[in-house]
């Protein structure tokens, strides 16, 4: 298993079994209608026609040939979906609460924090920022190291991930507060730990950073109509680009917002037939995890997604190998590919000791008599 020490982007893609993976980080998690239709067309012409939703609310093109990387960068630039440099892209690791409104605190913070990024110290590549400043936090389970949130009184805090409380700040001094917390992380040797929450297991934050708790986390959106449009789910976070383009056209959506939960919010969308997408909150596919598996990932020796579809139930994770990319957390039932068969882990991570080994798909699909 190869552990990758950086977050892939468009400028610095990652090689996979089916070509380059190019990650696109849309600003505010939003693509307008022309951008999403253009990206769907690009995925079909230059990739393998699949777009993935990531757990940090980004989009991934898969299957891009190395020799076409520059042409795809140029097309992304024309669509307004490319940062100016690889450095800018790497630093702009920001996830925002998807229910923002134009001109609200979330969008204003987003714009001011962008200006602060060049002044941030060098941080480990996986570190990121959550602007979770709706009335209640929604992104508490989404990977981030610096969390902007509101308190129950509605005031703004910046909280280090792993701490129960944050420092009260204002929108005006938010950039300075972010830079100060990042500088503390570096000065206290946080880079050795790599992530804020891991660092706080051995290092105590100065008291000024632990003043106020955030408001209680709210329920995330689910498939169906919402104030800004309509929410659809993507099984395993993977979408056929032609099906997504058809959904945008048929629903007359004016824009798409990506969420960290394998859900898309289509702005001003009409209800329409969406066979390739999840439309019901009760659909077990929404709660079943599976990475691309073989042959898409070079580390996998087994199929993952057709087995996961057949066995779909909440708490099931089918992983192509012990790395567990789709759900690097414990699950009720985890099937882990190894040497062309599956190991079964119960109530554990993909890398934990299995209860059974060497199972075939037939074993797993055959009901016990
Ligand atoms: S968990 Fe899946 S996607 Fe991740 S490295 Fe293993 S096979 Fe590949």
């Amino acid at each position: 298993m190869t552990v990758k020490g950086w977050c892939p982007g468009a400028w610095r893609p990652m090689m996979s079994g089916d070509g380059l993976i190019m990650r696109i980080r849309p600003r505010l998690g939003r693509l307008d209608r022309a951008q999403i239709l253009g990206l769907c067309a690009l995925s079909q012409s230059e990739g393998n026609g699949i777009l993935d939703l990531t757990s940090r609310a980004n989009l991934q093109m898969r299957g891009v040939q190395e020799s076409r990387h520059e042409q795809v960068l140029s097309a992304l630039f024309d669509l307004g979906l490319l940062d100016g440099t690889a450095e800018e892209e790497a630093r702009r690791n920001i996830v925002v609460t998807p229910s923002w409104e134009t001109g609200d605190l979330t969008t204003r913070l987003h714009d001011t924090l962008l200006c602060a990024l060049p002044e941030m110290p060098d941080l480990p590549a996986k570190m990121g920022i959550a602007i979770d400043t709706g009335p209640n936090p929604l992104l508490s389970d989404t990977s981030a190291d610096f969390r902007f949130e509101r308190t129950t009184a509605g005031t703004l805090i910046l909280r280090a991930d792993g701490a129960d409380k944050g420092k009260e700040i204002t929108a005006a001094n938010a950039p300075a507060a972010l830079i100060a917390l990042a500088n503390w992380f570096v000065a206290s040797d946080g880079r050795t730990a790599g992530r804020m929450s891991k660092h706080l297991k051995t290092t105590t934050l100065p008291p000024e950073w632990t003043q106020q708790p955030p408001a209680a986390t709210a329920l995330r959106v689910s498939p169906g109509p919402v104030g800004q449009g309509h929410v659809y789910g993507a099984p395993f976070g993977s979408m056929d680009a032609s099906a997504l383009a058809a959904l945008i056209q048929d629903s007359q959506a004016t824009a798409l917002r990506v969420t960290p939960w394998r859900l898309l919010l289509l702005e001003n969308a009409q209800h329409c037939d969406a066979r390739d997408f999840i439309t019901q909150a009760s659909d077990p596919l929404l709660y079943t995890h599976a990475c691309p598996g073989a042959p898409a990932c070079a580390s996998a020796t087994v199929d993952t997604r057709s087995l996961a579809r057949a066995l779909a139930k909440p708490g099931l994770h089918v992983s192509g190998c012990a790395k567990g990319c789709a759900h690097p957390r414990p699950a009720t039932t985890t099937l882990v590919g190894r040497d062309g068969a599956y190991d079964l882990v119960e109530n554990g991570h993909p890398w934990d000791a299995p209860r059974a080994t060497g199972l075939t798909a037939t074993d797993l699909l055959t009901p016990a008599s």
Side-chain angles (χ1 to χ4, degrees):
M1 179 172 64
T2 309
V3 177
K4 311 292 194 301
W6 84 100
C7 279
W11 282 103
R12 288 194 197 125
M14 185 169 75
M15 180 52 81
S16 186
D18 57 354
L20 297 178
I21 296 176
M22 294 180 70
R23 186 169 294 174
I24 292 108
R25 299 179 176 178
R27 289 176 185 236
L28 286 165
R30 179 181 189 269
L31 298 94
D32 66 26
R33 184 181 171 88
Q35 286 175 322
I36 190 61
L37 291 176
L39 186 61
C40 289
L42 193 61
S43 165
Q44 290 172 280
S45 63
E46 297 284 358
N48 64 359
I50 301 292
L51 289 169
D52 292 334
L53 301 171
T54 79
S55 59
R56 288 191 183 183
N58 294 314
L59 283 158
Q60 280 180 177
M61 273 181 73
R62 303 188 71 95
V64 176
Q65 296 311 301
E66 260 183 302
S67 59
R68 299 291 299 168
H69 182 220
E70 282 208 9
Q71 285 83 351
V72 178
L73 284 179
S74 170
L76 290 173
F77 177 82
D78 291 344
L79 287 170
L81 292 173
L82 187 69
D83 289 282
T85 63
E87 168 80 356
E88 275 177 44
E89 176 183 75
R91 282 180 179 255
R92 199 172 56 77
N93 206 352
I94 300 176
V95 56
V96 301
T97 188
S99 54
W100 53 266
E101 303 275 357
T102 303
D104 71 0
L105 176 63
T106 300
T107 59
R108 285 184 282 119
L109 266 182
H110 176 263
D111 292 348
T112 54
L113 292 177
L114 284 183
C115 301
L117 294 183
E119 292 172 50
M120 293 276 279
D122 283 339
L123 296 171
K126 288 182 184 294
M127 290 188 75
I129 301 163
I131 306 178
D132 197 7
T133 43
N136 290 77
L138 288 173
L139 303 174
S140 309
D141 290 339
T142 299
S143 177
D145 301 85
F146 305 93
R147 297 183 180 278
F148 291 91
E149 295 166 328
R150 288 186 197 252
T151 65
T152 38
T155 55
L156 181 62
I157 58 169
L158 171 56
R159 182 170 67 87
D161 188 50
D164 294 337
K165 297 177 181 174
K167 176 179 181 172
E168 273 208 64
I169 59 169
T170 64
N173 68 21
L178 176 65
I179 293 166
L181 185 54
N183 281 335
W184 172 82
F185 177 83
V186 170
S188 58
D189 196 26
R191 283 196 283 228
T192 302
R195 297 297 301 264
M196 182 67 84
S197 62
K198 193 169 174 206
H199 185 45
L200 295 191
K201 288 196 164 82
T202 57
T203 309
T204 305
L205 270 172
E208 61 170 313
W209 290 103
T210 56
Q211 295 171 339
Q212 292 289 337
T217 301
L219 284 180
R220 59 182 64 165
V221 293
S222 38
V226 293
Q228 288 127 324
H230 205 99
V231 173
Y232 294 93
F236 314 122
S238 180
M239 302 174 290
D240 183 283
S242 60
L244 178 59
L247 179 65
I248 299 290
Q249 304 274 18
D250 295 348
S251 68
Q252 299 172 36
T254 54
L256 175 155
R257 294 188 193 185
V258 190
T259 79
W261 314 299
R262 309 190 320 221
L263 297 168
L264 303 166
L265 193 166
L266 301 194
E267 290 182 18
N268 306 307
Q270 312 287 319
H271 176 72
C272 69
D273 180 29
R275 270 193 312 273
D276 296 293
F277 294 85
I278 297 171
T279 56
Q280 304 288 329
S282 57
D283 190 328
L285 262 187
L286 197 55
Y287 312 101
T288 302
H289 309 279
C291 71
C297 178
S299 300
T301 58
V302 293
D303 157 78
T304 48
R305 288 186 173 162
S306 47
L307 182 65
R309 275 182 187 273
L311 296 173
K313 62 176 180 178
L316 172 67
H317 177 194
V318 183
S319 185
C321 77
K323 190 174 174 192
C325 297
H327 186 70
R329 300 197 180 102
T332 312
T333 305
T334 306
L335 299 170
V336 187
R338 187 171 55 81
D339 299 335
Y342 301 87
D343 292 346
L344 166 66
V345 177
E346 288 183 335
N347 299 311
H349 301 87
W351 51 86
D352 287 337
R355 189 174 76 76
T357 59
L359 303 167
T360 65
T362 310
D363 295 335
L364 294 160
L365 291 167
T366 308
S369 53

